[in-house]
Amino acid sequence: SATRGASTLLTSDLVRARRRDGRILPLYLNAEARARVAPVAQEIVATALALVGSTRDEVDAALDEIDVSARDRSIVLGLRKLCEDRCDFAVAEGTCPEEIRKDVFSAAALAHRSLDLGATFNREAVLADVAEKKGTTPEALLAGLYADLRGSEILQRFKALDAEELLDRYNVALAQAAVQKATKVVVRIQGESPLRMRDIFRAARFHGLLHTASGDPKSGYTIVLDGPFSLFGAATRYGLRLALCLPSPLGCRAWHLHADVLWGKSREPSTFELGPKDGLVSRDGEAPALTPELEVFCAAFAKLGSEWTVRPSDRIFALPGEAVCIPDLRFKRAGSSEEVYLEAFGFWSRASVWRRVEMLRKGFPVRLLLAVGKQLRVS
């Protein structure tokens, strides 16, 4: 989905940050703190790995047993949250709790109605009778009765990582928490290759972020992203997407991020700054070349038997004085040099579509199709 890794963020109660002189200052783990909590981080990871096949309640109980100092309790709770987000929990395979409850409760009600005056209800007999009819045991029946409760879910898989990776992800998550509350984010990047910039632009498009880009390869690029609190609706979902896009510039050499933020319950206007000096490390791979919707489109187009082929575009069009255009797809006609590009507008504003239309009317070096979502109501 467009929100891949969506859960790997901290909840507001786990965010360690200060607000000073109108600035948000996350309390990143420094070298001393990392060394102090690294053994605990490793124990959290080892516990999750060892308990694949156990219930959520059993996993929680084992994690609660890890010895943590009062000083680091908040940090460790954040590490646990990020680690637990890498766990896949599900109802035990082959178990249908709703069906089991229906059979057991129906049999129990029938047994109650059949009781003679003064007789005692025999719970074990009812369970044994239902278990025999279902070809199982009373113990298995009881285990499956409420298997769909959260605590009874089974840990199916754990996406393993080492302690250092978990600590890196924790620091990034603190920065993501600030970006989630933004009204606007401005990222300036210099000295990167076109391929690297394409990956960064691609991340913004993959996550469906409202953004404009300007600049050129020589002077660098400026990307302006609308924040969730600049929108009237879907702020939580959009903030999540924006936070997930944050790691994309972390590997650049010369870059700076500035965010206007509404912080805390009172939403006090604040600022948040981020750059190479903060030492954050991205552990995420590059965003996929296409959104799931465009992947489906390309697969369907390939089945048409057309003389045209379609693939992800790797072009960046930076025209003087205009916003940068980064098409999503490139169509090429077999046996010729003819090309057509496509740019998809999903979670965008009507104004951004019309700005692109005006740019095309002034002249553009290639043929470009605009795919515009119906919800934008553009004629």
Side-chain angles (χ1 to χ4, degrees), residues 315-378:
R315 294 287 298 276
I316 298 175
F317 295 98
L319 306 183
E322 299 288 351
V324 173
C325 177
I326 312 100
D328 296 281
L329 301 176
R330 185 193 71 168
F331 297 88
K332 191 173 188 309
R333 177 175 256 163
S336 76
S337 60
E338 191 175 3
E339 293 181 333
V340 177
Y341 290 81
L342 180 143
E343 183 179 18
F345 288 78
F347 203 157
W348 288 57
S349 65
R350 298 181 71 196
S352 63
V353 176
W354 288 118
R355 282 195 296 268
R356 181 69 82 235
V357 170
E358 289 303 314
M359 183 186 76
L360 295 178
R361 284 175 173 165
K362 295 176 184 178
F364 201 67
V366 299
R367 295 163 66 192
L368 181 68
L369 294 169
L370 302 183
V372 183
K374 289 182 180 179
Q375 75 278 6
L376 292 179
R377 302 187 302 280
V378 176

Side-chain angles (χ1 to χ4, degrees), residues 24-351:
I24 304 304
L25 304 173
L27 301 179
Y28 300 123
L29 299 178
N30 57 24
E32 178 189 348
R34 288 178 72 104
R36 194 175 64 246
V37 300
V40 180
Q42 186 57 53
E43 193 170 354
I44 292 172
V45 172
T47 299
L49 272 173
L51 291 180
V52 172
S54 304
T55 67
R56 188 189 290 268
D57 281 345
E58 291 169 338
V59 174
D60 287 342
L63 292 173
D64 288 341
E65 289 296 317
I66 297 176
D67 187 35
V68 180
S69 67
R71 176 185 184 182
D72 295 326
R73 178 168 177 76
S74 178
I75 296 173
V76 172
L77 287 175
L79 296 176
R80 273 185 60 168
K81 167 64 169 62
L82 297 179
C83 203
E84 290 166 2
D85 288 340
R86 300 171 70 84
C87 297
D88 290 336
F89 288 95
V91 175
E93 192 172 342
T95 303
C96 184
E98 291 183 357
E99 182 181 322
I100 293 173
R101 285 195 292 269
K102 178 182 176 182
D103 293 342
V104 170
F105 294 162
S106 296
L110 181 62
H112 272 290
R113 289 196 298 269
S114 303
L115 286 177
D116 293 332
L117 189 63
T120 302
F121 174 72
N122 190 332
R123 175 176 177 269
E124 287 68 26
V126 170
L127 289 172
D129 182 53
V130 175
E132 183 180 359
K133 291 178 180 177
K134 296 182 73 67
T136 186
T137 64
E139 292 76 19
L141 205 64
L142 278 175
L145 197 60
Y146 295 107
D148 52 350
L149 292 183
R150 187 176 186 276
S152 299
E153 292 175 339
I154 303 298
L155 176 56
Q156 308 281 358
R157 287 171 298 279
F158 172 63
K159 189 177 179 182
L161 73 174
D162 59 33
E164 288 302 309
E165 182 179 353
L166 182 56
L167 297 176
D168 285 340
R169 288 183 177 274
Y170 178 81
N171 278 346
V172 172
L174 292 177
Q176 288 174 313
V179 171
Q180 273 187 283
K181 309 298 181 182
T183 57
K184 183 172 76 171
V185 177
V186 179
V187 184
R188 293 185 173 88
I189 303 172
Q190 291 179 303
E192 295 297 327
S193 68
L195 183 62
R196 179 76 178 106
M197 288 306 308
R198 172 68 204 185
D199 288 336
I200 293 170
F201 290 134
R202 179 182 292 156
R205 298 189 70 84
F206 176 81
H207 290 292
L209 300 177
L210 299 165
H211 68 282
T212 56
S214 58
D216 55 63
K218 185 176 181 180
S219 62
Y221 294 93
T222 297
I223 308 170
V224 180
L225 303 109
D226 284 359
F229 285 170
S230 71
L231 307 177
F232 289 104
T236 299
R237 180 165 56 93
Y238 187 87
L240 183 62
R241 291 172 179 238
L242 183 59
L244 292 173
C245 190
L246 175 67
S248 61
L250 294 184
C252 295
R253 291 162 292 179
W255 65 282
H256 178 264
L257 179 148
H258 173 95
D260 295 324
V261 177
L262 298 179
W263 189 252
K265 293 182 179 179
S266 58
R267 296 190 176 183
E268 295 190 51
S270 311
T271 61
F272 171 65
E273 308 276 340
L274 190 64
K277 62 180 176 55
D278 294 295
L280 300 192
V281 178
S282 173
R283 294 288 191 153
D284 294 322
E286 300 296 346
L290 298 173
T291 63
E293 294 82 3
L294 286 176
E295 285 184 349
V296 171
F297 171 83
C298 289
F301 189 88
K303 296 178 181 178
L304 297 178
S306 169
E307 61 180 335
W308 292 82
T309 57
V310 62
R311 54 167 292 179
S313 169
D314 57 3
R315 294 287 298 276
I316 298 175
F317 295 98
L319 306 183
E322 299 288 351
V324 173
C325 177
I326 312 100
D328 296 281
L329 301 176
R330 185 193 71 168
F331 297 88
K332 191 173 188 309
R333 177 175 256 163
S336 76
S337 60
E338 191 175 3
E339 293 181 333
V340 177
Y341 290 81
L342 180 143
E343 183 179 18
F345 288 78
F347 203 157
W348 288 57
S349 65
R350 298 181 71 196

